[in-house]
Amino acid sequence: MRPLTEQDIRTSFINCSKGEAKRLAIPRDLAERPWHDLDFLGWRDPGAPDRSYLVTEREDRLVGVTLRFPSSQRGFLHRSMCSLCMTTHPGNGVSLMTARKAGAAGREGNSVGVYMCADLACSLYVRGKKIPESGLRIEESLTVEQQIARATGNLSAFLDKLYT
C-alpha cells in the first residue's frame, strides 16, 4: 500500500458524512507505518472503544470504511478466526465488525458485517510480521503471496457488500 496522508484518509470514506470524516481520529504515526507490508490501513478509535476504521486502495482509488464492533468479552479459551486473513485468536482477538452501507441504504440503517482481527493487523499476521496472542498461526499449504491474495479478495468481497 502507498503511504497515506491525513487528507487522503479523510476524503476516502464511503459510509459516513463529510462532517463525520472530518471529526474522526486519524493515527498520529502515519509516517512510521510499515506501508509496504500493508494491504489496508486499519485502526481503532482511542476515544470511542466501539469504533474502528479501515482504508484501502481499490480500483485505483482509496476507499475508507467506518466500522463498529461490540465490546463483549469472551473467555480466553474461546477461539475465533478472522474471515479476512484466517488467523485464529483467543478471547476477543476477533470481533464482528459492522459497517453502514454506502449511500441511501446506509442512511436507512442497513449494514453488513465481517469477522476481523480486532486489532486490524491482518496484513501483518499474513506476512508473519506480527504474531497472534496465542503465539502461532495455523500452518497453511498456501504461499504467503497466495494468503495475501486470499485476504485482499476477502476484503474486496466485504467492500462489495457495502455498495449493494
Side-chain angles (χ1 to χ4, degrees):
M1 182 168 196
R2 68 178 172 92
L4 302 178
T5 66
E6 180 176 339
Q7 185 63 27
D8 291 335
I9 294 167
R10 291 193 188 284
T11 58
S12 71
F13 285 91
I14 62 167
N15 67 340
C16 69
S17 71
K18 288 181 181 179
E20 289 171 311
K22 283 183 182 179
R23 291 186 300 272
L24 61 84
I26 301 292
R28 296 180 187 264
D29 65 346
L30 292 177
E32 290 84 43
R33 294 286 171 134
W35 294 105
H36 61 282
D37 287 325
L38 298 179
D39 302 307
F40 63 88
L41 172 65
W43 73 99
R44 294 182 67 167
D45 189 329
D50 65 337
R51 289 189 196 150
S52 57
Y53 309 98
L54 181 150
V55 177
T56 190
E57 294 172 304
R58 189 163 197 239
E59 299 172 3
D60 296 329
R61 67 176 217 139
L62 290 175
V63 175
V65 179
T66 62
L67 301 161
R68 291 191 176 262
F69 58 96
S71 58
S72 63
Q73 299 290 319
R74 291 185 180 148
F76 187 78
L77 296 177
H78 178 87
R79 297 186 66 77
S80 298
M81 180 181 281
C82 172
S83 61
L84 294 186
C85 68
M86 303 300 164
T87 300
T88 59
H89 295 274
N92 291 326
V94 171
S95 199
L96 175 63
M97 306 274 186
T98 58
R100 269 191 331 220
K101 287 189 158 206
R107 288 188 294 276
E108 292 173 9
N110 295 324
S111 63
V112 293
V114 63
Y115 284 94
M116 289 180 62
C117 295
D119 62 3
L120 300 153
C122 300
S123 301
L124 301 178
Y125 290 122
V126 168
R127 289 167 173 81
K129 305 281 183 176
K130 188 169 184 179
I131 306 298
E133 192 175 320
S134 63
L136 57 108
R137 277 188 88 227
I138 295 173
E139 190 172 327
E140 295 194 60
S141 59
L142 298 177
T143 65
V144 171
E145 291 76 22
Q146 290 169 324
Q147 291 177 53
I148 292 167
R150 179 184 60 201
T152 57
N154 291 342
L155 176 58
S156 184
F158 169 68
L159 294 173
D160 286 345
K161 292 177 186 177
L162 295 176
Y163 292 103
T164 59

